[in-house]
Structure formats: C-alpha cells, structure tokens
C-alpha cells in the first residue's frame, strides 16, 4: 500500500514518499494503541459521565452508569459514548458485525439529536459525548458519502488531532477506493478540511489517491507545516509539488504565507519557495506563471503580497519578461500600487533594453497617468522622457499619452507633463499638435499662460463664462408609507427589516406589528412561530443585554418573556457615568420593551411615535390626530411611546402653533403636555468643551476622545415627566470625558430619535467620530448623513462632527463627511468660517492629519463646490501657516486651496502666506504657497453665483 502511495502522489521521488508514509502511519497507529491501552490518553473527558452525575445531570447515566462493563457489545459501545470516552470506542467497535453496527448507528443518531438540545450548563459533558459520537458514528457508517457527512457535521467537528487518529483506527479495514472517496469528500468542504487535516491526510496516504488540492486542505497544510524547519519539511513532503501551486493560485492567500517576517526568518514562505525552485523541487516556469496569473486577477493587497514576493525572489528571465508584456501593462493600469510598481519596473527595464515598442509604452503610459499615485505617475513621465531622448521618432505615439496627465489633480504633475510635451512638440505634425492643444484645456488655470505660449492659436480660448458654484439638490423629505395591513406582508417585512439597518422602515414595521397584533393576534402568532426560530427567545440570557431589534416584541407577543425581565427592561435608566451611545440606544430599547409588554392589548392600539417623515420627524397635526384617536378609545398613551413622540414632533413646523391649540382642546393630560411642549419650542441643549492635551499617551488626556466634555442643559420637565430611559436628556448625565468600546447596531436610529435636535445628537457622537480621526477607527461617520438632513440648529457640535469626519483615517468615512458637508451647504446650514476655525486647531494639535483633510476637501471641490471649499479654507490657513511647529503635509492643503481660488476666482489676502511664498525653495509647500498667493492677487471679475 505504501509503495503505491509513494508513486501516486506527485512528490519528490518514490523513496521519499514511501519513507514519509511509513513514518506517518507508524506514528498514527502508535498513538491509537497507546490511547486504547492507557485508557484516558489525551482524552480529558473520560470522567464526563461521573462529572455530569455530580452536577445532577442524568444524561450521562442512561444506558449505563458511565462504565462499559456488562450488557451486549452494542450497549457497551453506547455506554462508552454516553460517558464521553472516545478513546474506548475503537476497541468496542471491533467485535461488532454489520448488523450490530447498523443497530448502534440508529441509537447514535438519537443520542446526537438529544445532545443538540442540551443547554449551556452541560457544555463540557456535551463536548465529550460529541467526541465519542464522532468516532463511533464513523465506524458504524457503511457508505462513503454518509461517513463524510457524519465526520463533517458542524456539531461533531473536532479540532483535536487525536480524534482524527481514532477515526483512522476504526476505518483501518475499509477498501482503499472507499477511503479515497471519503478523503476527497471531506477535503471539498473548507471548514472540515481545515479542522480535519490529519484525518484527511491519513486517509489519502492509506488509499494512495491523488492529493486533494482544495482551499481548505491547503490552508490546513500550510498551518501544519510552517515552523522553523519549513524548507526541510517542504523538501521532504510528497504533497509540496501539488499543494504549493494551488496555494499560489488561491483567491485568499493562506495566513501563514502572509506572515510579516523578514526574508531571513525560517518561516518566510517566499524565501522557502525560491530555495525549492533553485533546487529543482518546484518547477520554475510553473511558479512564475502562477504568480503572474494571480497578480493579474487582482484582489486585496494582503492576498497579492505573497505571489509578488515570490516573483521578486524567483526573478523571471528576460524571455519570460518579454513574453508577458501585455500582462505587465495590465498590472500597471489596474493592480494595487505595490504590484503596479513592480510591473512598471519590469517594463522600464525592457524599455531600457529596447525590447518595448513605442505602442506598448504609449498604452502603458495612458494607464499609469490615469492613476492617483504620484510616485508611479512621476516615474512614468521620467521613463517616457528617457525613451524620447533616445528614440525621437516615437514622439507622435507617446506625446498624446503624456497629455493624459494634463487632467491630473496634482498641478506639479501637470507642469511636468506640459514641460515634457513642450520639449518635443516641435517634432509632431499639425494633427497631433491640435490633439495636444485640446488636451491642454484640462490644465489648471495656473498653467494656462504656459500652454498658450506653447500651442498659440491651437489652444481653445477661454469661454469667459462667469464661475457658477454647483451644489447638490436640497434633499426632499419623504413621507413614511403606511404600515402593512396583512399578516403575510408584515412577516415578510419582519424577516427583512426586523433589525436596525433602516430607521424609517423599522418604525413602519414596528407600527404594523402593533396594529396587527390587536386586530389578528392568533393569526400573527401562528405566522411568527412558522417563520422564526423561536427556541432561543426562551433562553433566559438571550435578551439580557440586547433587544435584537423587533425580536423582543415578537417574544412578548408569543408570551415567552418572564414578567420580571419585561419590568426590568421598561424601568432601565442611565447612571450619571453612562456612555452617550448607550443612552441614545436606550431610548429605542425602552420603547421595544414597552411594546413587548403591551402588544396585542387595548393599552397599545397603535404607536404614537411612528415618524411622518423619513428623517424621524412627526407632523404636529398628525400627532394631535393620533392623540384624538387614543382619547376616543379611552386609552392613555404608553409612557415611552409618548415621550418619543414629543421628541420627534416638529416644534419649528409652521403648523405647530395651530397644533398646540388643537392639542389643548382635546382636554386630556397628554394633549396638555403636547401643547406645552410645542409652545415652549426650546431645543435640547448641550455645551461642548475640550480638556487640554496631555504631554504623552500615558497622561490619559492625549487622545481627542479622552478630552471631549459634553454638558447637557438642565430640563426639569424632561427629568420629571419622561420615563427613566429618557431623563438623561434633561441633564442627568455627568459632564466628563467618555471612552467606550462597544459597537451599537442602533446607530442608524440615533438621529431619528431626536430628529429636530441634531445639535444634541452631534454632541453625543463626537467621541466616536473623534476616534475615527486620531485613533483610526472605521465606520464612525454613519450618523452624519442623517444629521445633515435632520432639523434643528446646526451649530458648533454639528460642524465639529463634520470636521472630525473630514479627518477620518478611513476613506469611506471621509466620503460620508463630504456628503454631509455638501448637504449642509445646499440647505444653507453650513457656517464655513466656523468649520474652518474648528479644523484649524484640530490640524495644529495633530488630531486631524493634513493629507486626509486635503483628500476630503479635494473630493468636495471636485463636485463643483470650489467656492464652498475655499470659504472653509480661508479661515483655516492663517492658523496653519502661523503654527509654532511646521504643519507637515500643509503643501497638499495649499494645493487644494490654490485650485479652488483658480477655479472660483476668489481674491483677498491670507495672513502669513506671502512670507511663505517668498521663501527660496522648491518644496511642495513653497511651490503651492506661491501658486495660491498669485491666484489670490489675480482675482476674478465676476462674483460667485451659487446654484442648487
């Protein structure tokens, strides 16, 4: 058997394969014999039955008292399995014939179902029993498919290598073809292959079948073989020649292959593979081809790092480089920066050797100059310049490609491209010259004079049209559609919108649930039981910390919540040290617990707090009509529902005064409260201040998050009349910095909870937004869009929130901040000077990085809002230019400012700018300072004109 295995596996020669197989099999059988003879072996669950008995459990004593003495062989096997003694199973299976094993299998399946129903208190006992089931079931199955299904069951899957060894022992007498079938089936399932590597390898080597090159098996193999003897183990392993090529081709590179260790480390995979290529263990041409193919497919930088490193170490030959010119060109255009840089190096080498045609270089240049990485673009312009100096005849093909850089966002790159074109423009014919002149229209205004001098009349004259500011349309409020009216439609909504992703849709669904529960409770209960897995709702800890969206209301509908749990949820408030995020989320939680308590009863016919508009706001007249419906039904509003309705009602709506009169005329206590709330018209208030920055991170005042203090204004009416979960809005929370580490699924509901008090919400989320700027957290700006569209004043907190967002590390977070800025500007709510002033001190103290801010403002300006961006930058620049310590990266901010001024025609002076512009230096900072200074002096004849 071992001889055939050695030749069947594509390894490093028959002798190596045979010796390795013999050693592996000898080791496995030694483990089995040792485990069976010693009894407990490595199995720590030998006393699971007695342990569970001590705990008062009876599950481990049925069919025996945990031992294996007495009874038929089948009964002894089942007793051992119930006792969790996996190491005894192989010996107990030996005397069983096919009929006995079939009988035992039926009872093992029943036991498996029983164990699935055990609660968490019997976890250790269940784990031991499952291990024994894993081995016993494999030995009792007859078909290869059934055996693979049993061994791959998620509830039985074992990560312990000794369990695989036990399975190998009970399958020792199976036919090689059958064994190979099981091995291939297990290897085809990723999770099973990862956890059962030893078992699968044993089956493969025993059967002599082909090595299963699957993602899961390769991942497990790399984890198993990676140690300080990596090269030696790869050299001796007969699987290496099959599995390495698959590893190189995988979409997600195995983690061991991407470990951040240096080339000198013994666990560095690229160095190990390069060594094996040199020794001839791996085929060099195959490795190169696989690496190039993988890089061409693209993907995450993490997954491309490994094939790129291997390719650098193996070094394709000159012929291989020439044969793959289209591949290298494709990489320079589309691949991540490190891969594109490598491909650019390869093509530059070919160009230096004269092996790259002008057409190929032009194609490459067009792709590279379209990229945003300045390093790659500069290197490409340099390469083209060298080629043109050596081959002047290529000018007609290359210059149009160079002209692609005229539209680059960096004006210094535009300048380099224009100079390159200028050096060689005299050698092109009239048609090419006109093409270049047309492209020159993309140049920044600062380069317009140089372009006019170069192209003369071929350059299209400036249109002279006045600058027009382009802002997005003002977002229109959208009505929330009525709730579902049938059980079927509601259940469908609950399945798709029963969590937290969309606030308006969630509120609509919640209102429909409350209405239908009162109208057709029996039908709704039946539909919920059929559509949802309700078992876990009965678990005592499931709703301890979370309401899980509408699930807690559904559990209340079905009567699955104990009374003390509901009372606790409704009465929960916030301590003075509570986090603002928890407090905001607590508003929705209190409403959900209240709905869970009252759903299906006359006390909650429908929800008062359901929004009228998608922002969460309620029309005052609509709320009065809802209260009238409650009065006619003789129902008092539920406290949390009514509190949320008051917080959502549009106090600044034109109909608010009329609605207050109608509410008072209702003659109910709730109507009187609504009238008083509308007439007061006072927003919830906060004051934000920042503690002085500490000297170092150990001071606990270093990070911006640790220095934000939010003081909530005192509102006695809120603290006295609102439920416990709402009283913090009236000043119950202490004013102190708060750093929290939780992740709230209810973030989408924060702005909708206070849709006419966005300044208050903004103050509460400043700490999380700050963590995205100076602590590099991701996904923190999700509330910004809703804040920009919400109602109420937009003062310091809202502008600070946008400022933090513009400085976030994550590009998606910055993009959401850009959207918020533009929406505020379109609505007329943006105070550009305030935003610029806040950004100034954030940049100076280092909380906001200039390069991130420049990227965000450049994106904003590119939408056509050059005047808006300049209005933000104008108050920002003096503080940055006059900072005690030079602000690193200020050149990028100045470049954005110069571009905005050139586009919108602003004029004026910036304190400190002329002094910087007069410096004798070629640095980016000085170049852009000179450019901005000149642009401001030139000015424009027309004032700005804004359009929506």
């Amino acid at each position: 058997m071992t001889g055939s295995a050695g030749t069947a596996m594509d390894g490093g020669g028959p002798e190596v394969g045979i010796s390795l197989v013999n050693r592996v099999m000898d080791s496995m059988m030694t483990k089995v014999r040792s485990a069976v003879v010693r009894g407990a072996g490595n199995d720590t669950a030998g006393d699971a039955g007695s342990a569970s008995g001590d705990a008062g459990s009876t599950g481990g004593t049925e069919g025996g008292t945990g031992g294996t003495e007495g009874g038929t062989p089948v009964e002894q096997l089942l007793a051992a399995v119930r006792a969790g003694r996996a190491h005894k199973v192989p010996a107990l299976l030996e005397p069983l014939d096919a009929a006995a094993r079939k009988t035992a299998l039926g009872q093992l399946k029943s036991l498996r179902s029983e164990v699935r129903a055990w609660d968490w208190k019997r976890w250790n006992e269940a784990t031991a029993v499952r291990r024994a089931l894993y081995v016993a079931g494999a030995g009792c199955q007859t078909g290869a498919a059934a055996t693979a299904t049993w061994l791959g069951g998620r509830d039985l899957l074992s990560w312990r290598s000794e369990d695989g060894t036990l399975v190998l022992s009970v399958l020792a007498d199976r036919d090689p073809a059958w064994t190979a079938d099981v091995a291939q089936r297990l290897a085809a399932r990723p999770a099973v292959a990862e956890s059962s590597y030893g078992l699968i390898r044993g089956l493969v080597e025993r059967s002599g079948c082909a090595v299963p090159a699957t993602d899961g098996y390769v991942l497990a193999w790399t984890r198993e073989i990676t140690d300080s003897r990596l090269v030696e183990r790869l050299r001796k392993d007969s699987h290496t020649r099959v599995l390495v090529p698959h590893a190189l081709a995988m979409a997600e590179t195995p983690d061991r292959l991407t470990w951040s260790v240096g080339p000198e480390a013994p666990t560095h995979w690229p160095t190990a593979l390069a060594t094996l290529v040199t020794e001839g263990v791996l085929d060099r041409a195959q490795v190169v081809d696989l690496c190039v193919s993988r890089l061409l497919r693209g993907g995450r930088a993490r997954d491309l790092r490994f094939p790129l490193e291997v390719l650098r170490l193996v070094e394709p030959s000159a012929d291989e480089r020439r044969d793959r010119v289209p591949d290298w060109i494709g990489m320079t255009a589309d691949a991540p920066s490190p891969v594109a840089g490598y491909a650019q190096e390869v093509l530059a080498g070919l160009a230096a050797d004269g092996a790259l045609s002008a057409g190929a270089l032009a194609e490459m240049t067009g792709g590279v100059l379209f990229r945003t990485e300045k390093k790659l673009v500069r290197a490409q312009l340099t390469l083209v310049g060298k080629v043109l100096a050596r081959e002047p005849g290529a000018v007609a093909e290359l210059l149009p490609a160079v002209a692609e850089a005229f539209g680059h966002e960096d004006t210094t790159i535009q300048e380099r491209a224009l100079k390159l074109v200028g050096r060689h423009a005299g050698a092109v014919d009239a048609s090419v010259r006109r093409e270049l002149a047309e492209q020159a229209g993309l140049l920044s205004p600062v380069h317009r004079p140089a372009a006019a001098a170069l192209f003369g009349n071929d350059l299209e004259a400036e249109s002279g049209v006045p600058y027009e500011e382009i802002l997005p349309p003002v977002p229109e409020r959208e009505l929330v559609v009525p709730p579902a009216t049938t059980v079927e439609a509601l259940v469908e909504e609950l399945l798709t919108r029963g969590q937290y992703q969309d606030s308006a849709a969630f509120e609509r669904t919640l209102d429909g649930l409350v209405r239908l529960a009162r109208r057709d409770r029996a039908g709704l209960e039946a539909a919920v039981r059929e559509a949802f897995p309700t078992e876990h709702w009965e678990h005592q800890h499931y709703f301890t910390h979370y309401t899980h969206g509408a699930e807690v209301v559904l559990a209340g509908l079905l009567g699955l919540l104990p009374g003390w749990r509901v009372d606790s949820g409704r009465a929960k408030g916030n301590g003075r040290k509570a986090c603002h995020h928890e407090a905001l989320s607590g508003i929705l939680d209190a409403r959900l617990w209240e709905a869970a308590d009252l759903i299906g009863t006359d006390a909650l016919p429908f929800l008062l707090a359901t929004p009228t508009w998608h922002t969460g706001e309620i029309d005052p007249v609509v709320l009065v009509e809802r209260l009238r419906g409650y009065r006619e039904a003789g129902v008092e509003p539920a406290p949390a529902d009514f509190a949320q309705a008051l917080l959502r009602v549009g106090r600044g709506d034109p109909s608010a005064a009329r609605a207050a009169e109608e509410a008072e005329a209702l003659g109910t206590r709730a109507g009187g409260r609504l009238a008083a709330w509308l007439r007061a018209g006072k927003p919830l208030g906060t004051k934000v201040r920042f503690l002085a920055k500490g000297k170092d991170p150990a001071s606990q005042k270093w990070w911006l998050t640790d220095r934000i203090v939010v003081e909530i204004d005192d509102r006695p009416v809120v603290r006295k009349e609102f439920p416990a979960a709402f009283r913090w809005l009236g000043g119950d929370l202490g004013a102190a910095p708060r750093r929290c580490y939780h992740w709230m699924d209810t973030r989408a509901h924060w702005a909708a909870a206070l849709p006419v008090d966005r300044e208050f919400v903004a103050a509460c989320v400043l700490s999380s937004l700050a963590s995205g700027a100076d602590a590099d957290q991701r996904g923190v700006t999700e509330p910004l869009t809703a804040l920009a569209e919400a109602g109420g004043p937009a003062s310091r907190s809202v502008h600070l929130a946008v400022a933090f967002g513009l400085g976030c590390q994550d590009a998606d977070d910055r993009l959401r901040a850009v959207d918020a800025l533009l929406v505020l500007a379109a609505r007329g709510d943006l105070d550009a000077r305030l935003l610029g002033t806040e950004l100034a001190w954030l940049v100076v103290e280092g909380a906001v990085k200039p390069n991130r801010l420049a990227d965000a403002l450049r994106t904003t300006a590119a939408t056509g809002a050059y005047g808006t961006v300049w209005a933000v930058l104008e108050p920002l620049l003096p503080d940055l230019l006059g900072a005690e310590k030079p602000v690193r990266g200020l050149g990028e901010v100045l470049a954005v400012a110069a571009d905005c001024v050139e586009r919108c025609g602003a004029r004026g002076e910036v304190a400190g700018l002329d002094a910087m512009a007069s410096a004798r230096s070629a640095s980016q900072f000085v170049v852009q300072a000179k450019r901005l200074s000149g642009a401001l002096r030139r000015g424009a004849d027309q004032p700005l004109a804004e359009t929506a």
Side-chain angles (χ1 to χ4, degrees):
M1 180 192 72
T2 55
S4 62
T7 57
M9 290 177 282
D10 189 10
E15 295 182 0
V16 173
I18 293 172
S19 61
L20 179 60
V21 173
N22 288 336
R23 288 199 301 275
V24 171
M25 294 305 299
D26 289 345
S27 173
M28 287 184 174
M29 293 312 298
T30 299
K31 286 183 179 180
V32 174
R33 287 193 295 267
S34 176
V36 174
V37 171
R38 289 198 308 268
N42 289 326
D43 193 337
T44 59
D47 295 324
S50 59
S52 63
D54 294 340
S57 170
T58 61
T61 61
E62 296 179 15
T65 60
T68 58
E69 299 297 332
T72 65
V74 171
E75 291 172 343
Q76 293 179 33
L77 172 65
L78 293 171
V81 173
R82 276 196 173 274
R85 297 177 178 174
H87 61 280
K88 290 185 175 292
V89 170
L92 293 171
L93 278 171
E94 286 185 8
L96 300 185
D97 57 16
R101 294 191 182 204
K102 183 176 181 181
T103 300
L105 180 60
Q107 298 185 51
L108 291 172
K109 290 180 178 179
S110 299
L111 177 57
R112 181 181 179 182
S113 299
E114 178 187 332
V115 173
R116 286 173 176 166
W118 290 357
D119 63 23
W120 62 273
K121 294 180 181 179
R122 302 177 68 178
W123 175 261
N124 290 334
E125 177 189 359
T127 300
V129 174
R130 287 191 181 103
R131 291 185 59 212
L133 281 168
Y134 180 73
V135 180
C140 291
Q141 296 282 0
T142 55
T147 303
T149 300
W150 182 273
L151 292 173
R154 286 196 301 175
D155 57 325
L156 299 181
L157 207 56
S158 175
W159 290 85
R160 300 176 59 150
S161 59
E162 57 265 35
D163 293 345
T165 305
L166 293 173
V167 171
L168 283 173
S169 70
V170 302
L171 300 181
D173 58 345
R174 303 299 176 97
D175 178 77
W178 184 95
T179 305
D181 191 6
V182 173
Q184 298 294 338
R185 290 175 182 273
L186 293 176
R189 300 173 61 179
V192 179
E194 288 181 42
S195 62
S196 305
Y197 168 75
L199 170 61
I200 298 173
R201 175 139 191 168
L203 294 173
V204 168
E205 293 176 341
R206 178 179 294 172
S207 66
C209 67
V211 178
T214 64
D215 286 3
Y217 187 74
V218 171
L219 177 59
W221 174 71
T222 58
R223 290 173 177 172
E224 170 67 22
I225 205 169
T226 303
D227 60 23
S228 59
R229 299 180 297 111
L230 177 60
V231 175
E232 178 185 351
R233 296 188 67 184
L234 287 172
R235 187 184 294 122
K236 294 180 178 180
D237 194 338
S238 58
H239 290 192
T240 295
R241 291 186 178 180
V242 177
L243 300 185
V244 164
H246 187 87
L248 284 168
M250 286 173 65
E252 293 188 16
T253 304
D255 49 10
R256 295 299 189 275
L257 278 56
T258 60
W259 275 1
S260 298
V261 294
E264 69 284 349
T267 55
H268 190 247
W269 269 81
T271 301
L273 296 192
T275 301
L276 297 181
V277 167
T278 302
E279 296 175 355
V281 177
L282 295 175
D283 182 70
R284 185 180 175 287
Q286 182 188 30
V287 170
V288 170
D289 185 63
L290 286 168
C291 289
V292 173
S293 298
R294 180 64 191 89
L295 295 176
L296 272 175
R297 293 207 311 272
R300 297 181 301 170
R302 169 202 175 276
D303 295 319
L304 299 180
R305 191 182 307 127
F306 172 63
L308 179 60
E309 287 189 63
V310 173
L311 198 58
R312 285 187 179 277
L313 291 173
V314 173
E315 293 187 16
S317 65
D319 289 340
E320 289 171 331
R321 296 186 181 200
R322 281 194 298 270
D323 292 343
R324 290 181 167 83
V325 166
D327 296 340
W328 307 127
I329 291 176
M331 291 181 204
T332 59
D334 303 320
S337 188
V339 178
Y342 172 77
Q344 189 181 46
E345 294 173 11
V346 172
L347 291 169
L350 292 174
D353 296 337
L356 188 66
S357 68
L361 179 57
E363 181 184 357
M364 170 197 179
T365 301
V368 174
L369 296 186
F370 192 73
R371 300 181 68 106
T372 58
E373 299 96 328
K374 298 174 186 177
K375 181 179 179 181
L376 294 175
V377 173
R378 293 191 189 102
Q380 192 65 26
L381 292 175
T382 300
L383 172 61
V384 174
K386 292 179 179 179
V387 172
L388 286 175
R390 190 174 62 247
E391 302 176 30
V395 66
E397 287 188 86
L398 293 180
L399 286 191
V402 171
E404 293 288 339
F406 289 170
H408 198 277
E409 63 186 23
D410 190 334
T411 57
T412 60
I413 288 176
Q414 293 182 14
E415 183 180 13
R416 292 183 65 166
L418 184 59
K419 288 180 177 179
L420 179 58
V421 170
R423 285 197 297 269
H424 301 279
V428 300
D429 58 28
S431 63
V432 175
R433 187 179 182 84
R434 284 194 297 271
E435 181 181 352
L436 295 173
E438 183 178 351
Q439 287 289 92
L442 299 173
L443 289 166
S444 169
V446 72
H447 299 310
R448 183 82 187 184
L454 175 60
F455 297 110
N457 294 332
D458 289 332
L459 182 65
E460 184 178 350
E462 293 185 84
S463 63
V465 176
Y467 170 77
E468 188 176 54
E469 183 83 349
I470 300 175
L471 293 174
V474 177
E476 296 184 3
R477 295 194 303 178
E478 300 174 9
L479 281 170
V480 176
V481 298
T485 57
T486 66
V487 171
E488 294 76 12
L490 176 65
V491 170
E492 181 180 352
E493 287 187 7
L494 284 168
L495 290 170
T496 57
R497 302 173 183 172
Q499 295 299 319
Y500 298 114
Q501 289 79 4
D502 185 315
S503 175
F506 179 85
E507 293 284 354
R508 171 184 182 273
T509 301
L510 186 62
D511 187 36
L513 174 59
V514 169
R515 291 172 183 268
L516 277 170
R518 191 159 175 265
R519 188 185 314 156
D520 184 11
R521 179 164 188 162
L524 182 57
E525 285 186 10
V528 169
R529 291 186 185 278
E530 181 179 354
F532 290 88
T534 61
E535 301 82 15
H536 51 284
W537 293 349
E538 301 181 54
H539 195 287
Q540 62 175 331
H541 296 293
Y542 186 72
F543 293 111
T544 299
H545 301 293
Y546 305 100
T547 54
H548 300 282
E551 288 187 30
V552 71
V553 184
L554 296 176
L557 173 71
L558 301 182
L560 302 179
L561 299 173
W564 65 269
R565 173 65 70 200
V566 175
D567 294 341
S568 174
R570 294 189 64 177
K572 184 178 179 181
N574 298 283
R576 288 188 59 79
K577 295 184 179 180
C579 164
H580 290 115
H581 305 144
E582 289 179 313
L584 282 169
S585 297
I587 293 175
L588 179 59
D589 287 345
R591 294 177 55 217
L592 292 174
W593 280 111
E594 181 178 83
D597 187 19
L598 303 179
I599 188 169
T601 68
D602 292 339
L604 194 67
F606 55 85
L607 294 180
L608 296 172
T610 303
T612 308
W613 307 102
H614 80 283
T615 59
E617 188 174 336
I618 299 177
D619 186 290
V621 175
V622 170
L623 183 54
V624 172
E625 290 303 313
R626 291 175 183 172
L627 287 178
R628 182 174 285 112
Y630 264 63
R631 185 192 66 177
E632 293 173 356
V635 178
E636 282 294 320
D641 184 35
F642 186 47
Q644 176 65 94
L646 290 179
L647 294 172
R648 282 178 168 167
V649 70
R651 298 188 301 266
D653 191 277
S655 65
R658 177 169 63 89
E661 295 178 0
E662 294 180 2
E664 191 171 35
L666 290 176
T668 62
R669 182 172 179 274
R673 287 181 62 189
L674 173 58
W677 185 263
L678 288 172
R679 286 167 178 160
K682 183 179 179 182
L684 300 174
T686 59
K687 298 181 183 66
V688 177
R689 57 187 174 88
F690 295 84
L691 302 179
K693 188 173 183 177
K695 296 181 179 180
D696 53 59
S699 66
Q700 296 185 347
K701 293 293 181 285
W702 177 264
W703 302 110
L704 193 58
T705 301
D706 298 323
R707 298 188 286 117
I708 300 175
V709 178
V710 178
E711 299 176 3
I712 299 176
D713 293 350
D714 183 49
R715 291 289 297 272
V717 66
V718 174
R719 289 187 286 103
K720 292 178 181 178
E721 297 183 2
F722 281 51
F726 295 76
R727 290 171 190 157
W728 68 280
L729 300 171
D732 267 2
L733 292 186
R738 286 171 170 81
R739 175 183 285 269
C740 56
Y741 301 94
H742 52 254
W743 185 264
M744 290 292 186
D745 288 335
T746 53
R747 285 175 300 167
H749 292 254
W750 291 347
L754 302 169
V756 294
D757 288 292
R758 60 178 168 184
E759 183 72 5
F760 188 98
V761 178
C764 292
V765 301
L766 282 179
S767 61
S768 58
L769 286 166
S771 68
D774 70 348
D776 295 343
Q777 295 295 313
R778 298 174 182 269
V780 297
T781 60
E782 289 184 15
L784 279 185
T785 302
L787 284 176
E789 296 182 6
S795 301
R796 190 189 185 198
S797 295
V798 169
H799 286 78
L800 276 170
V802 174
F804 291 166
L806 294 173
C808 279
Q809 183 267 346
D810 183 60
D812 289 336
D813 278 326
R814 294 198 298 272
L815 195 58
R816 283 189 284 266
V818 167
D819 289 341
L821 190 159
L822 290 171
V823 169
L824 288 173
R827 297 183 66 184
D829 295 334
L830 179 68
D831 185 337
R833 179 161 292 278
L834 174 60
L835 178 58
T837 302
E838 298 293 356
L839 280 167
W841 71 265
L842 289 169
V843 173
V844 170
E845 79 154 23
V848 169
K849 304 295 188 295
N851 62 324
R852 298 175 185 171
L853 175 61
D855 175 74
L857 293 180
R858 186 184 299 112
T859 302
T860 307
T863 65
Y866 294 100
T868 299
V869 174
W870 171 244
V872 174
L873 287 170
E874 189 175 13
L876 164 73
L877 291 177
D879 288 346
L880 271 57
L881 291 167
E884 294 182 11
K885 296 175 61 177
V887 178
R888 185 176 182 182
L890 179 55
E892 293 190 53
V893 180
L894 290 172
V896 175
D899 193 38
C900 289
V901 171
E902 291 165 356
R903 302 276 185 177
C904 71
R907 65 178 69 187
E909 295 182 0
V910 174
L913 179 62
D914 289 341
M916 294 298 176
S918 63
R920 301 184 63 180
S921 172
S923 66
Q924 167 84 342
F925 172 72
V926 174
V927 169
Q928 296 301 333
K930 291 179 179 179
R931 176 187 167 202
L932 176 59
S933 178
L936 287 170
R937 283 197 299 270
R938 282 191 297 272
D941 296 331
Q942 298 89 5
L944 297 183
E946 292 190 3
T947 63

